[in-house]
Amino acid sequence: MRWWSLRNALPLKGVSYRITGLVTIPSKHKSLTLLAGVLLAQLLMLAVQIKRDSRGRLIRVWAISAAYPFERSGAWGYGKVRGVWTHYFALRTTERENEALRIENDALKLTITQLQGRAAEADRLGAILGFKQAHEHVPMVGGRVIAASAGTASRTIEIDRGERDGIRRNMAVITPDGAVGKVIEVYGNTAQVLLLTDKDGGAGAMLVGSRTQGAVGGTGEPMLQLKYVANEDNVAVGEKIVTSGMDKIFPRDVPIGTVMETKPGNTFKQIRVQPAAKLDRLETVIVLLTQEPVEFKSAAENAQSAAPVSPAAAAAEKP
Amino acid sequence: MNDTFELRNAETHIEVHKFYPGAVVLVAAAALVLQATGPVYFPKLSVLELPLLVTIYFGLSRRNPSTGLLLGMVIGLAQDALSGPTVPLGFYGIAKTVIGYLASSIGARLDTEHPAARFSLIFSFFVVHQGILVVVRRLLLAQPEAWINVHLAIAAAVNALLGTVLFLVLDRLRRSS
């Protein structure tokens, strides 16, 4: 058999081949041409995406749809394994009671942080007397994190809630500890969330003490950066930062983080911020189901609504 | 029955390994899903680049530059798709296409079975891969990115170590002679 007929026969399965005195590696020229063609195609695809700001949605939908069952079953399996493990060593009822208390505690922490923000604002205005309750009910949905970015080039997470749960793009995502990010892409059963720590992530921010406004952005690292705070402004290490609500995504006064380091820059200070939420260890998150800013009652309104109406005043109002 | 091809010329002697049907697809898919889900539960796993390790392994084993670069392209594009909308399609695709080509080209010329050789190759390919990502980000996407940082050497060493062990496991997927 001549060598070229041997090469043609190579794909036959279960046949032993030994070729002597030949180089059967595919032609270098051919593979180099293929390499150039494939690279060129991908470069063009990159260029098209950049120019049109298109993100290749169809390919992403396919990939996400294909990976979703595995991610979901992975999360389910992980949860089951962990559940069996913990229940084996702990009393079943105690574990469940702890779970319920933990959920309740998370909800209370969210309420407390929002109340604290409102309290700080009211303190600054000097108008707090009997600040009691709070804010309007905020529609929200909880979601479990089922995947993260498949590379270090971005910091995103994927949650098991999507369009069918009422989630839309640019909705704020938080945890009871603080702001997490925003919904950047929504599919039927899942949604992708851009974390604050991503290079494209960010939120309108405000220093709690001085009420100085700026913008918090990600650097691709675990720490955040507070931008656009003038060198003249006083910023202390340890100062808390909350959302300003100016980005039309997050409601006001959601904790963002704590100032860890500050130093003067050319025009603006360089401020590094430790995120309030544990962005590198997210398991469940809350999506605020409204893109409208969440309006809280003002301190005056709260005081007014909370103050008891005296019988005399009530009588005077009667015709 | 022999599914290992021995290709010889006057100076070289290389083996082209074949794998059980579906092994390449399953291993690549598993690597992508693990890459996406692992860091959710164990954040430190984000230092690993499983899709890259799989690309290198099959490139070195199959020793066919055309299939190597095509496999790299498919794995890279899938990784792009699973990395969120901020990563444009082609970002990882370009890098892994080049790595797939280089791995299969080098695999056709060198002995890549020895663990020390594998460690060195994975370490080198990881650095090249990250270099390509930086080039793409800086020159094509006009986004700032550091050329070298401390984590690169650590990540390369960790991936090389894991890859050397992983390759031994993947060797079991080869069809026996």
Side-chain angles (χ1 to χ4, degrees), chain A residues 152-153, chain B residues 47 49 52 91-92 95-96 99 124-137 145-147 149 151-152 155-156 159:
Chain A
T152 53
Chain B
V47 76
E49 246 289 357
L52 175 65
F91 181 69
Y92 286 108
K96 285 187 171 56
I99 294 298
S124 306
F125 281 136
F126 187 90
V127 173
V128 172
H129 179 263
Q130 295 304 111
I132 295 169
L133 294 183
V134 173
V135 168
V136 171
R137 196 178 271 285
E145 181 79 24
W147 285 105
N149 57 44
H151 300 299
L152 177 62
N159 278 275

Side-chain angles (χ1 to χ4, degrees), chain A residues 14-15 17-19 22-24 32 38 42-43 49-50 55 60 63 75 78 148 150-154 192 199 280, chain B residues 1-2 5-9 35-36 41 43 79-81 83-87 89 92-94 97 101 137 140 145:
Chain A
V15 179
Y17 301 105
R18 179 178 289 272
I19 308 169
L22 300 174
V23 180
T24 56
L32 269 177
V38 167
Q42 291 184 83
L43 285 172
Q49 290 173 77
I50 294 165
R55 299 294 188 186
R60 289 188 195 284
Y78 177 80
T152 53
S154 65
Q192 286 181 321
K199 286 176 181 172
D280 60 342
Chain B
M1 299 283 278
N2 183 4
F5 303 163
E6 293 187 12
L7 308 179
R8 291 171 184 264
N9 61 16
Q35 185 73 36
Y41 311 108
Q79 191 175 5
D80 288 325
S83 291
T86 56
V87 177
L89 293 172
Y92 286 108
I94 289 173
T97 300
Y101 176 80
R137 196 178 271 285
L140 299 180
E145 181 79 24

